[in-house]
Amino acid sequence: MARTALPPPAVPGTAGAFPVTVDVVALTVRGAALHALVVDRLLEPYRGQAALPGGFVLPGETLEQAAGRELEEETGLTVPAGVTGTGPWHLEQLRTYGPLGRDPRGPVLSVAYLLLAPAFGLPAAGGDAAEARWVPVGGTTAHLAFDHDRILADGVERARAKLEYSPLAAAFCPPEFTVAELRGVYEAVWGTHLDARNFHRKATGTPGFLEPTGRLGGSGPGRPAELYRLAAGVDPTAAVLHPPLLRQVSPGPAAPSA
Amino acid sequence: MARTALPPPAVPGTAGAFPVTVDVVALTVRGAALHALVVDRLLEPYRGQAALPGGFVLPGETLEQAAGRELEEETGLTVPAGVTGTGPWHLEQLRTYGPLGRDPRGPVLSVAYLLLAPAFGLPAAGGDAAEARWVPVGGTTAHLAFDHDRILADGVERARAKLEYSPLAAAFCPPEFTVAELRGVYEAVWGTHLDARNFHRKATGTPGFLEPTGRLGGSGPGRPAELYRLAAGVDPTAAVLHPPLLRQVSPGPAAPSA
DNA sequence: TCGGCTTTTCGTCAAGGTGACGAGAATGTA
DNA sequence: TACATTCTCGTCACCTTGACGAAAAGCCGA
């Protein structure tokens, strides 16, 4: 292609120009376990291997738009526009992985995003990648392409840490949910067991977190639970839980002597 | 320069290639206030205006290398190699700011870094930018070039949040410091006043945070203080303070009635 | 219909953390 | 030497947390 008349940017000639990809760590809670979304690559490199959904940023796109487009193309998941904010779904930038030594095609910059979603979106295979599927995190996580193993680990760790001091666990839940569902999210993400009674006290007692709807939900055995929603006007990105819901750290207290 | 025989990367032709800059939010505590490092730009755009130190990433560089190089070129600050870890100094990636609408020269990606440093490094003017200087944060922060106001705000907020649950305050201190110096860091970054006695109890009582050196320091009036250092083997990036040192949130409790 | 069983929700209680504050120790200064 | 200043250690009331008991309110099988 001939050099077009597009005005070359007045950046110094020594500056490099890098292809930029966007990779998405999409997490959800299915059953009682945390799952991540992976796709099987159709193209080289790493053809046939599992990878995080993602792809190159096109000219004229924002990073968020690229993340949403790639997700939709490869997995059929349609992220509601502009959902870096409230409600179920939560999209936030994770971090950027440097241009060197991570892509056999050469220096490529990758901006990773973290998506927390309720479990209802079963991905439909299609687009640039075959067979999008949820894989349990921490289990048989086969090696992912590129440095996606590390990106996935960073995303999971970010999610775990954020549950402590932000109302982000609600991003995994439908718009209205029970305290038990919310507790299930914490248990799945942290991989721990939480006392239902204490969790109920803390979750409902934390100001600016939950808001009762007045309705009842749940059809299983046992007493029906009250339905809650995220407190109105809460931006899960910025809101802070006080006091935080801290996970246990010292798992091994000294065994009481006889 | 003619097209060299370097194998063109096999990235899709539709993928964009973006110039990438690295901008550094360098924070320190001087006196009793948090300060940020800014430089005056010598080149267009925004010539003469204050901006965060930074510049374009060169081919063959990692992002961290670019951050260190730009800092050294523009401010004379030499960041010790590989100090994403322990000790004074702390460099971590902040976030990436999208390619659209942030540079008049066209789409430019900017990866921002956060540097926490002790106060000893008085920057020497030179390099690509004139007059590097510390400006107090939150005070007369004149408008910075590009979207650097937002980047600075994000960096300050990250630093404030990280002090709560990480031993990162020590990055602002010399290798050995007193509890009062450490408290001064918290007070400057958070902009609050902390009770010296309670802070002493929490800081020295938190496991895995401080380690007494046995020596005494401080030459001002009053009883000399013991010198501490960061506990051995602590990686401030990953270590977590339990319990966290939480800042006050609800400043207005109900006034007790008569 | 009627006990079990399960789950939610509310209380109780001891242990430990937190903020407010008193007081002694150890220094510089007038 | 008297005083101010700062560091360090204690005390005490209040709150949160974790462990756990128990009532409420629905299913399920006999």
Side-chain angles (χ1 to χ4, degrees), chain A residues 134-214:
Chain A
W134 297 106
V135 298
V137 166
T140 42
T141 310
H143 269 312
L144 301 180
F146 305 106
D147 50 357
H148 289 189
D149 279 328
R150 184 195 165 187
I151 299 179
L152 174 60
D154 287 350
V156 170
E157 178 49 35
R158 169 82 66 94
R160 284 183 176 143
K162 276 222 152 185
L163 286 206
E164 289 193 338
Y165 54 90
S166 80
L168 251 154
F172 288 109
C173 297
E176 299 192 351
F177 50 88
T178 67
V179 177
E181 291 182 84
L182 191 68
R183 175 168 48 88
V185 168
Y186 279 88
E187 292 179 331
V189 175
W190 287 347
T192 60
H193 173 74
L194 299 174
D195 184 88
R197 297 157 292 186
N198 291 333
F199 182 86
H200 187 276
R201 180 185 52 194
K202 285 186 72 166
T204 58
T206 299
F209 189 12
L210 299 184
E211 201 173 61
T213 66

Side-chain angles (χ1 to χ4, degrees), chain B residues 19-251:
Chain B
V20 177
T21 65
V22 166
D23 295 308
V24 180
V25 178
L27 302 178
T28 196
V29 174
R30 308 207 316 160
L34 185 65
H35 286 69
L37 192 58
V38 302
V39 299
D40 288 324
R41 290 182 56 80
L42 283 181
L43 306 173
E44 293 292 349
Y46 298 104
R47 181 174 172 177
Q49 199 168 342
L52 297 177
F56 286 95
V57 177
L58 306 183
E61 251 182 348
T62 68
L63 297 174
E64 279 84 2
Q65 285 168 355
R69 175 180 53 76
E70 291 287 348
L71 253 184
E72 188 163 350
E73 284 178 9
E74 299 190 349
T75 71
L77 269 181
T78 301
V79 180
V83 273
T84 50
T86 157
W89 300 96
H90 169 81
L91 183 66
E92 72 173 42
Q93 191 181 297
L94 184 54
R95 68 162 287 161
T96 296
Y97 297 85
L100 298 185
R102 53 175 307 277
D103 193 312
R105 291 167 292 189
V108 171
L109 216 64
S110 173
V111 185
Y113 275 79
L114 177 64
L115 175 76
L116 312 182
F120 58 76
L122 293 188
D128 266 2
E131 250 272 89
R133 61 183 194 276
W134 297 105
V135 298
V137 165
T140 42
T141 310
H143 269 312
L144 300 181
F146 304 105
D147 51 355
H148 288 188
D149 279 328
R150 186 196 163 187
I151 299 178
L152 174 60
D154 287 349
V156 170
E157 178 49 36
R158 168 82 66 95
R160 285 184 174 142
K162 277 222 151 184
L163 287 207
E164 288 193 338
Y165 55 91
S166 82
L168 251 154
F172 288 109
C173 296
E176 299 192 351
F177 49 88
T178 67
V179 177
E181 289 182 84
L182 191 68
R183 176 167 48 87
V185 168
Y186 279 88
E187 291 180 331
V189 175
W190 286 348
T192 59
H193 173 74
L194 299 174
D195 184 89
R197 298 157 291 188
N198 291 333
F199 182 85
H200 187 277
R201 180 185 52 194
K202 285 185 72 166
T204 58
T206 299
F209 189 13
L210 298 184
E211 201 173 62
T213 66
R215 262 166 314 208
L216 297 179
S219 59
R223 174 176 172 175
E226 288 188 53
L227 280 175
Y228 290 84
R229 73 173 81 90
L230 253 193
V234 169
D235 172 16
T237 312
V240 175
L241 249 43
H242 271 267
L245 280 152
L246 296 179
R247 23 179 181 167
Q248 301 266 54
V249 166
S250 48

Side-chain angles (χ1 to χ4, degrees), chain A residues 39-249:
Chain A
V39 300
D40 288 326
R41 291 183 56 81
L42 282 181
L43 308 173
E44 293 292 348
Y46 298 103
R47 181 174 172 179
Q49 198 167 342
L52 297 177
F56 286 96
V57 178
L58 305 182
E61 248 181 349
T62 68
L63 296 174
E64 278 84 3
Q65 285 168 355
R69 175 181 53 76
E70 290 287 348
L71 254 184
E72 188 163 351
E73 284 178 9
E74 299 191 349
T75 71
L77 268 181
T78 300
V79 179
V83 274
T84 49
T86 158
W89 300 96
H90 169 82
L91 183 68
E92 74 173 41
Q93 192 182 297
L94 184 56
R95 68 162 287 160
T96 296
Y97 297 84
L100 298 185
R102 53 174 306 277
D103 193 312
R105 292 166 292 188
V108 171
L109 217 63
S110 174
V111 184
Y113 276 79
L114 178 64
L115 176 76
L116 312 183
F120 58 76
L122 292 188
D128 266 3
E131 251 270 272
R133 61 183 193 275
W134 297 106
V135 298
V137 166
T140 42
T141 310
H143 269 312
L144 301 180
F146 305 106
D147 50 357
H148 289 189
D149 279 328
R150 184 195 165 187
I151 299 179
L152 174 60
D154 287 350
V156 170
E157 178 49 35
R158 169 82 66 94
R160 284 183 176 143
K162 276 222 152 185
L163 286 206
E164 289 193 338
Y165 54 90
S166 80
L168 251 154
F172 288 109
C173 297
E176 299 192 351
F177 50 88
T178 67
V179 177
E181 291 182 84
L182 191 68
R183 175 168 48 88
V185 168
Y186 279 88
E187 292 179 331
V189 175
W190 287 347
T192 60
H193 173 74
L194 299 174
D195 184 88
R197 297 157 292 186
N198 291 333
F199 182 86
H200 187 276
R201 180 185 52 194
K202 285 186 72 166
T204 58
T206 299
F209 189 12
L210 299 184
E211 201 173 61
T213 66
R215 263 165 314 210
L216 296 180
S219 59
R223 174 176 174 174
E226 289 188 52
L227 281 174
Y228 289 83
R229 73 174 79 90
L230 254 192
V234 169
D235 172 16
T237 313
V240 175
L241 249 43
H242 269 267
L245 279 151
L246 296 180
R247 27 181 178 166
Q248 301 266 52
V249 166

